[in-house]
Amino acid sequence: MASIVSRLETGRSAALYIFAIPLGISDLAAGLIWLAIFDQSGFLNTLLSSLGIVDRPVMFLGYQSKLTIFIAVVLAEIWRATAIMMVILVAGMGLIPREYYEAAEVFGAGPWKRFVRITLPLLRPSLQTAIILRVILAFEVFAVVAALGGTNLPVLMGETYNWQFTLQDRNVAAASALLILAISIGFTLFFLRVLRVPKEARI
């Protein structure tokens, strides 16, 4: 998506605004949007019924449908995450000098080779930022899960909330929060190491 937007000559701003719509929606609002899709009286059941695929509404988000709840949460999070990652990558692609691509074309490099040999290596700083940010936000997911699955799909942030406010055990809640922090730091250091950019390769 970032590559397509970067190559657009006309309508680039409009495409970027459309793709970035999820950035202006809160976590809870995103969860409610996907709840309207997967709910027993939602858009998906309406579509399946109108096509004659099902005779009666399917309970996709029932307490026995943990796999379906998980898939719904994953779809909602991918929808939300794609926007912020695309914006970061579009900004990174805009910093790559066009002379590199022109020189590669002179030497006969095709679009795929230019993408693999020029775009991806020079996009490492942006990829690093986008992935680290996404991993940190993934461990903080709570509102989307609460909207789609309630307590049927336990996540770290949800468990921390339960220990703090439902069970009134601040010690376990603090330990859970520290666990989330430790995992986030671990993944951050991992991606900083894997996607590090050598000094001689920086623009």
Side-chain angles (χ1 to χ4, degrees):
M1 288 169 61
S3 182
I4 292 171
V5 171
S6 298
R7 293 178 183 177
L8 289 176
E9 297 293 336
T10 57
R12 178 180 175 182
S13 298
L16 189 60
Y17 289 143
I18 292 171
F19 286 143
I21 284 175
L23 286 177
I25 300 174
S26 67
D27 296 1
L28 183 58
L32 293 176
I33 289 172
W34 285 86
L35 179 63
I37 295 174
F38 286 98
D39 193 43
Q40 197 168 358
S41 58
F43 298 119
L44 183 56
N45 269 311
T46 302
L47 177 63
L48 294 176
S49 298
S50 63
L51 294 175
I53 298 176
V54 296
D55 297 328
R56 55 183 180 179
V58 180
M59 189 176 291
F60 291 107
L61 303 177
Y63 70 94
Q64 292 181 331
S65 307
K66 288 191 176 182
L67 179 60
T68 310
I69 296 173
F70 177 76
I71 293 173
V73 170
V74 169
L75 290 174
E77 282 298 301
I78 289 175
W79 178 68
R80 290 180 58 246
T82 299
I84 188 169
M85 295 193 73
M86 190 208 64
V87 170
I88 294 173
L89 295 182
V90 168
M93 288 179 177
L95 296 176
I96 301 176
R98 308 308 302 175
E99 291 81 3
Y100 292 172
Y101 294 102
E102 293 170 1
E105 286 185 38
V106 169
F107 286 101
W112 175 249
K113 185 168 286 188
R114 292 198 301 269
F115 181 76
V116 172
R117 297 294 179 87
I118 298 175
T119 305
L120 283 182
L122 295 179
L123 206 58
R124 274 192 173 189
S126 299
L127 282 170
Q128 190 182 71
T129 302
I131 292 175
I132 289 174
L133 180 61
R134 183 55 208 147
V135 168
I136 292 174
L137 292 176
F139 284 107
E140 295 178 0
V141 64
F142 172 64
V144 172
V145 177
L148 291 172
T151 59
N152 292 325
L153 187 68
V155 291
L156 285 174
M157 191 60 71
E159 292 300 302
T160 304
Y161 179 88
N162 288 332
W163 281 107
Q164 175 70 27
F165 297 103
T166 305
L167 301 176
Q168 296 291 317
D169 193 330
R170 295 183 178 180
N171 295 327
V172 178
S176 180
L178 287 175
L179 176 62
I180 296 172
L181 175 63
I183 294 174
S184 300
I185 291 174
F187 273 101
T188 299
L189 295 176
F190 172 77
F191 286 117
L192 285 174
R193 177 70 177 174
V194 172
L195 296 175
R196 71 185 186 280
V197 182
K199 290 183 179 179
E200 61 274 10
R202 295 175 184 170
I203 298 176

